[in-house]
Amino acid sequence: SLSAQTVDVAPATPAAKQVRSLVDGGSFDLRNVYAPAGYALVWSRGGRPTAQAQAVIAQLETASAKGLVATDYAGGQWATRVANLRGDAALARFDVDLTSAALQYASDLRVGRVNPREVDFDFDLDAKKLYTPALIQQIATSNDPAAVFASIEPKHEDYRRLLAALATYRRIEAASTDEAPLPVVAKLKVGQTYDALPRMAALLRRLGDLDANTVVTGTTYEGAIVGGVKHFQSRHGLEADGVIGKTTFAQLNVPASTRVQQIEWAIERWRWIPENPDASSIIVNIPEFTLRARNADSGEELTMRVVVETLFGAAV
């Protein structure tokens, strides 16, 4: 976004004067949105929110689907604000607040909530920043504001897969609330007895490692559940031998809430990456111990295992 505004048109209506009083002394982004347009209302007509305003509010209220926090954008407050839209002062306040929230949401979608340089990632985000007046104008006149927001998100397929995984693990988290961890034994091999086997089967079904129609009622570790455990081990970079030892139990007992947080962090990092989805790339997935390289010219792709070492507490 630009940090200077070159046109300031005087407000022509009482509501516009109210908007100006709210914007004066505020951020350059807000002034750049309103000043060139005479501080006219953006999000309401005839005292009611526009369809675009309602669509933007829907995006803000469901920000968690994007790995963001709805309360950062006044989530949970918009219904009350809409219900109280009476008079120029209320309309102006609603307009400026919605523009502010939309700008913050767009920025967080585009470049993330955290400056990567504050956590020792040397990414320059300036090239990814948006010209805010044009963005708000596009959203406010679009038949599909959600599509406009989507257009500023990372384009990489891994980012979209993370969003899908986030939705999946939020469902798993809701289904496993207050569920106790699986009891840990030294080593569980095929043919041995494990009293919590039905609970383990339920967990594997939720995670998608065991077919949803597989019923496990006994306590002997055998049959389909062994295959489910092998699938789980493979997904987590473990030796897929079906033997459940300390490491496999530790992974099985990671709370879904922790997985949700890990996915949110990964989504955040994708927003830092310079945007050029068609460029050649080398991506190392540290938890997976896997490197994936893509040659943009030939389309050739390479996948290989890598060794991850720890240097001063950080993976390298």
Side-chain angles (χ1 to χ4, degrees):
S1 60
L2 301 184
S3 60
Q5 141 260 317
T6 57
V7 179
D8 190 338
V9 178
T13 67
K17 292 176 182 178
Q18 292 280 349
V19 170
R20 183 173 188 174
S21 70
L22 294 171
V23 169
D24 277 351
S27 71
F28 283 112
D29 284 342
L30 276 177
R31 293 178 62 193
N32 281 342
V33 169
Y34 285 103
Y39 301 91
L41 296 173
V42 176
W43 304 110
S44 65
R45 298 291 181 270
R48 303 303 303 164
T50 63
Q52 289 83 0
Q54 297 284 13
V56 170
I57 289 171
Q59 287 286 295
L60 303 181
E61 294 284 10
T62 58
S64 61
K66 302 291 187 178
L68 302 173
V69 182
T71 53
D72 287 350
Y73 323 104
Q77 301 178 29
W78 292 107
T80 300
R81 294 181 181 188
V82 169
N84 293 329
L85 278 182
R86 290 182 291 273
D88 292 332
L91 287 167
R93 170 57 68 185
F94 170 79
D95 215 89
V96 173
D97 285 351
L98 188 55
T99 298
S100 296
L103 289 174
Q104 187 62 57
Y105 177 71
S107 175
D108 292 350
L109 275 181
R110 179 75 170 175
V111 298
R113 303 168 66 204
V114 177
N115 186 329
R117 288 181 170 171
E118 294 179 359
V119 286
D120 299 324
F121 283 85
D122 191 20
F123 289 117
D124 183 1
L125 301 182
D126 287 345
K128 295 187 69 177
K129 291 184 178 180
L130 302 165
Y131 181 53
T132 52
L135 175 66
I136 293 298
Q137 175 67 18
Q138 187 180 4
I139 295 170
T141 58
S142 172
N143 292 326
D144 190 357
V148 178
F149 282 120
S151 72
I152 65 176
E153 294 182 75
K155 302 299 189 295
H156 201 283
E157 182 60 30
D158 281 355
Y159 173 81
R160 290 188 285 269
R161 283 198 289 262
L162 281 168
L163 292 180
L166 179 61
T168 296
Y169 273 88
R170 286 196 188 281
R171 290 193 295 269
I172 293 171
E173 181 182 16
S176 58
T177 301
D178 299 327
E179 188 171 276
L182 292 171
V184 177
V185 298
K187 190 167 289 187
L188 180 60
K189 297 181 179 180
V190 176
Q192 292 181 331
T193 298
Y194 181 64
D195 290 342
L197 202 66
R199 282 179 51 202
M200 182 186 293
L203 172 61
L204 292 171
R205 282 194 293 268
R206 280 199 301 270
L207 295 174
D209 296 295
L210 188 63
D211 188 273
N213 296 319
T214 301
V215 178
V216 176
T217 57
T219 59
T220 302
Y221 180 52
E222 61 185 2
I225 193 170
V226 178
V229 168
K230 289 180 179 180
H231 190 271
F232 176 89
Q233 290 173 323
S234 178
R235 286 198 304 112
H236 289 79
L238 307 174
E239 184 179 356
D241 57 5
V243 177
I244 309 177
K246 177 181 177 181
T247 305
T248 299
F249 270 117
Q251 292 297 325
L252 285 167
N253 282 329
V254 172
S257 59
T258 299
R259 297 301 189 202
V260 166
Q261 188 175 65
Q262 290 171 334
I263 294 168
E264 289 175 340
W265 289 342
I267 290 171
E268 173 77 3
R269 293 185 183 103
W270 267 111
R271 292 175 174 140
W272 301 341
I273 296 174
E275 186 170 60
N276 189 353
D278 297 323
S280 299
S281 61
I282 298 175
I283 298 172
V284 179
N285 186 325
I286 292 173
E288 192 184 19
F289 302 96
T290 301
L291 177 149
R292 293 181 177 85
R294 178 180 178 275
N295 186 312
D297 296 326
S298 66
E300 185 179 1
E301 296 185 358
L302 169 68
T303 300
M304 62 185 295
R305 302 287 284 175
V306 295
V307 175
V308 176
E309 297 183 355
T310 300
L311 180 62
F312 304 120
V316 295

